[in-house]
Amino acid sequence: MRRAAFVLALICLLAFAARVWNVRDVFVEGAVYFVDADCYSRMTRARLVADGRGLFIRRHDFENWPQGTRPHTTAPMDWAIVIGQKMIATGLGLLDPGRTSVLRSQTLDLSGALVSPILGLAACAWLACWAASLRASGAGVPPAMSGAGVPPAQAGAGETPAPLPTGGTPAPLLRLRSLGVIRGAWMAVPFFFAISPALVHGTLLGRPDHQSLVLLLLAVALSAELSLAATAAGAGDARGGRRRWSVIAGCGWAVALWVSLYEPLVLFAAMSLWWLAFDRRRFTAAEHRPGWIAFAAIVGTAAALDGWRLSWPDPALRSAFANWKQTIGELAHLDPRSPLLYRWVGALVVPAPVLLFLAARRDRRALLVLGLLVITFGLTVWQVRWCYFLALVFALSLPWQLAALRKWWIAWPVFVIALWPMAQDWDEKLFPEDHPELDSEKQRGVLRLEKVRLREVAALMRSADRRPFLAPWWLSPPLAYWSQQPGVAGSSHQSLPGIVATARFFLAPGPADAGRIARELGVKWVVTDDPDRLVATSRPLFAAAAGMPYVVHLHEAGQPRERVTGEDLKTATPEARARLLEMADRAEAAALGSAAFSCVSTNQFYKLFSVNPDKVQSDE
């Protein structure tokens, strides 16, 4: 027992260390930065909750200006971040009474950075305990899934003889003999979860995304369902076990559906179809009722308090979405021949169907796991974002895959060798200097500098007044979070109207068109990025002229101008001061080709322009 606890502690330590490998990208120059644009939208929600704006944020005014959005995002992840902030603030109060730490003013950011690794650590520990319970309890399946019990004469070593059914009472369950033979088979599940690059990215430091919470909840729900499939029917102690696992599964599914009505809903439907096909008592038996009551209570509470806001875009926006999603990496298709698949789950994915089919001869739950694996694999080929759940199901399948190999001295070498593609992925992440062809360390350094420079731009936009801004959609969430100003675009599909509006601005053929769009949107700031990138990401959204857009000239010509020095203001008469200001304005308007825009700040990546809507007419 002590040895198992020590091994579990080591695996959990490894899991946490793997999830903070990018610490230099998150903590930069004493500040906290996040991995994805969506993370900043989540953090804006968490800040609204922390500031007392309400426990449930049903509307986003900080994106898709001026309409805003009614987001699909729900409250549980917001609460997790805010609770983490309270705990960190309390801890810093005890450890830093002199208030000298730079983190004192960044407790919310620190909580957002740490929440996903902590959830990943919790999921790893849960899976370790669940996998260990498989061996301790002797895994098996109900007769409805496995057929008649095994007569004593046919029972092999390590199996518990199962008497034939009598009086309509289902037979006891078959042991999964190989789980008892393969030494330490339970360790494979948490170890794989700890190091899988896909699962690590889903629970990465600086990535406060709902997927980390969904992964934990689905790990609980799916493992509970697999344990339910192994409990004996009819025995009193087994009935109590089914009741406990049913409640755990019901709570896991319900909260997962509260967090997201996408991936959990698909897997819940697949699991329900399995029970309908093989054992409908899962829906009617008395011992399962507490689980269904808990499920209904949580789902009903979520719908009443947080609500699920579903909407369907109009045909024009659906066409734009089809084009926009091509620029989103997690919505791309996966080539099954791609090395990415093996880097996510290892080479064991190739023989996995055969191994699970062989394991199903002793434990029909292997067929359930195989079905889930096929479903998540197909969905991953369709959308890369399913890779997290493919890796989770693969981790759950490992006890049955190893059991099919029968001998520990065969199973463990095969398992370790199959991890080689994942080891290559980690080698490139941790030792980029050994892979100069990737130039990854230099790219990461540039990305870190971009984040710092963008935050400097946002600092200039901060104001007590509401001053909306227009920026590329991938920059809008961090700018909104740091500047606390609303943006036209956003990173979610619900901000698609704003994304299309920004694309029209960036593709405007002349200054008059760009100024008119800015005035119609009511923005006070415009932030530009590399013009080639702006044009390349805007053109696919709708048919537009192929000429050079005005934003290219705006970005290249924009330079902040010193309107009047302090000495000029001191010595000039009021009439001379007015003439100086007018001359500076004319010179800047001539350089930009527009009086509606004034360049306020520039750096090697971004430029910030103030918008003068009353001067749009002069451009026309």
Side-chain angles (χ1 to χ4, degrees):
M1 188 67 181
R2 291 181 180 178
R3 182 165 52 186
F6 178 72
V7 171
L8 174 58
L10 288 180
I11 294 177
C12 288
L13 182 62
L14 174 64
F16 187 79
R19 282 151 179 77
V20 299
W21 73 269
N22 64 331
V23 62
R24 289 192 299 165
D25 300 328
V26 175
F27 297 96
V28 182
E29 297 184 7
V32 179
Y33 295 86
F34 302 104
V35 174
D36 301 322
D38 288 344
C39 300
Y40 290 95
S41 295
R42 173 66 67 179
M43 292 304 299
T44 301
R45 290 175 54 90
R47 182 170 60 198
L48 294 174
V49 174
D51 290 345
R53 308 282 185 89
L55 290 176
F56 304 95
I57 308 300
R58 296 192 174 192
R59 181 176 178 80
H60 287 181
D61 293 327
F62 55 84
E63 62 181 352
N64 196 41
W65 173 268
Q67 293 90 355
T69 65
R70 287 178 59 81
H72 297 164
T73 319
T74 52
M77 192 66 176
D78 303 336
W79 297 345
I81 296 171
V82 174
I83 291 171
Q85 179 200 22
K86 304 299 183 186
M87 296 174 65
I88 290 172
T90 301
L92 285 176
L94 298 174
L95 299 175
D96 182 38
R99 297 178 176 271
T100 58
S101 173
V102 295
L103 297 175
R104 296 287 299 200
S105 60
Q106 301 183 75
T107 54
L108 185 65
D109 287 356
L110 184 58
S111 176
L114 291 174
V115 64
S116 287
I118 292 173
L119 291 172
L121 182 64
C124 185
W126 170 269
L127 289 175
C129 296
W130 168 78
S133 74
L134 287 179
R135 181 180 184 276
S137 61
V141 293
M145 303 181 192
S146 63
V150 176
Q154 298 179 7
E159 289 185 358
T160 298
L164 296 175
T166 58
T169 302
L173 308 174
L174 296 174
R175 284 184 182 275
L176 181 54
R177 178 177 56 188
S178 298
L179 279 182
V181 172
I182 295 179
R183 300 173 185 174
W186 68 272
M187 293 187 293
V189 178
F191 183 78
F192 178 89
F193 190 94
I195 66 170
S196 168
L199 293 168
V200 166
H201 187 265
T203 53
L204 192 64
L205 178 73
R207 194 171 184 268
D209 193 276
H210 74 280
Q211 286 168 336
S212 58
L213 181 55
V214 170
L215 280 171
L216 170 61
L217 294 168
L218 288 182
V220 171
L222 289 172
S223 60
E225 295 286 0
L226 289 169
S227 293
L228 275 173
T231 54
D237 56 343
R239 188 177 295 112
R242 287 199 304 279
R243 185 179 295 108
R244 288 191 296 272
W245 282 117
S246 178
V247 171
I248 292 172
C251 293
W253 284 120
V255 181
L257 291 171
W258 185 356
V259 176
S260 172
L261 276 178
Y262 185 29
E263 298 94 351
L265 184 59
V266 173
L267 294 176
F268 178 73
M271 197 72 239
S272 298
L273 289 175
W274 167 267
W275 287 114
L276 283 172
F278 290 102
D279 189 359
R280 297 181 183 180
R281 294 182 72 258
R282 174 70 175 89
F283 302 99
T284 58
E287 58 267 25
H288 294 303
R289 288 173 192 166
W292 289 114
I293 291 172
F295 176 86
I298 295 173
V299 169
T301 300
L305 298 179
D306 207 351
W308 284 310
R309 298 162 286 280
L310 302 177
S311 60
W312 192 253
D314 58 53
L317 286 181
R318 288 201 296 271
S319 175
F321 175 75
N323 296 325
W324 173 70
K325 72 177 184 178
Q326 296 177 8
T327 66
I328 309 299
E330 70 173 16
L331 298 182
H333 301 314
L334 173 70
D335 185 348
R337 301 165 297 178
S338 170
L340 276 177
L341 178 62
Y342 307 106
R343 288 174 176 245
W344 290 337
V345 295
L348 199 60
V349 69
V350 176
V354 175
L355 294 176
L356 290 172
F357 183 78
L358 293 175
R361 294 184 302 175
R362 299 172 182 273
D363 187 338
R364 291 292 178 88
R365 285 179 301 168
L367 288 181
L368 168 58
V369 179
L370 177 58
L372 292 173
L373 196 62
V374 170
I375 290 171
T376 51
F377 174 76
L379 291 169
T380 303
V381 171
W382 174 50
Q383 287 184 345
V384 171
R385 64 177 293 160
W386 279 89
C387 68
Y388 311 113
F389 308 97
L390 170 64
L392 174 61
V393 173
F394 192 85
L396 291 168
S397 74
L398 286 174
W400 287 270
Q401 293 193 53
L402 296 181
L405 294 172
R406 305 294 295 273
K407 303 294 184 181
W408 70 267
W409 50 269
I410 298 176
W412 274 109
V414 169
F415 173 69
V416 172
I417 293 172
L419 298 178
W420 179 253
M422 297 166 63
Q424 288 182 308
D425 188 270
W426 278 109
D427 184 65
E428 293 174 4
K429 283 186 176 73
L430 300 179
F431 305 102
E433 64 277 2
D434 295 339
H435 303 274
E437 71 280 3
L438 300 177
D439 204 19
S440 56
E441 183 60 27
K442 183 178 180 181
Q443 293 175 3
R444 287 170 58 190
V446 171
L447 291 175
R448 286 193 289 265
L449 185 59
E450 283 183 347
K451 294 176 182 179
V452 173
R453 294 292 178 260
L454 186 64
R455 194 166 190 161
E456 293 172 354
V457 171
L460 297 173
M461 296 164 55
R462 293 199 66 168
S463 171
D465 301 325
R466 173 159 285 190
R467 296 175 61 84
F469 66 88
L470 185 151
W473 64 263
W474 59 89
L475 300 181
S476 294
L479 285 171
Y481 182 64
W482 290 325
S483 70
Q484 299 187 29
Q485 298 291 352
V488 173
S491 59
S492 71
H493 66 277
Q494 291 176 295
S495 295
L496 200 55
I499 294 172
V500 171
T502 60
R504 289 199 175 97
F505 175 87
F506 292 133
L507 294 178
D513 302 281
R516 183 169 56 253
I517 293 172
R519 182 180 62 182
E520 291 172 355
L521 294 171
V523 297
K524 305 299 182 184
W525 302 107
V526 170
V527 179
T528 59
D529 195 356
D530 177 69
D532 293 337
R533 188 179 184 188
L534 292 178
V535 174
T537 54
S538 298
R539 276 195 170 132
L541 292 182
F542 52 87
M548 180 180 294
Y550 169 66
V551 71
V552 176
H553 173 73
L554 183 69
H555 185 84
E556 292 176 350
Q559 294 293 332
R561 293 178 177 272
E562 292 291 340
R563 295 178 179 274
V564 181
T565 66
E567 288 298 321
D568 291 335
L569 291 175
K570 289 180 181 178
T571 57
T573 63
E575 294 79 6
R577 185 184 301 113
R579 286 196 301 272
L580 288 172
L581 291 170
E582 185 179 355
M583 290 172 59
D585 288 342
R586 282 202 301 269
E588 184 178 27
L592 297 177
S594 171
F597 304 99
S598 298
C599 188
V600 175
S601 175
T602 180
N603 57 51
Q604 62 266 54
F605 303 110
Y606 312 108
K607 292 187 178 181
L608 173 66
F609 297 86
S610 64
V611 180
N612 308 300
D614 56 328
K615 296 184 179 180
V616 173
Q617 297 294 335
S618 64
D619 292 338
E620 299 175 348

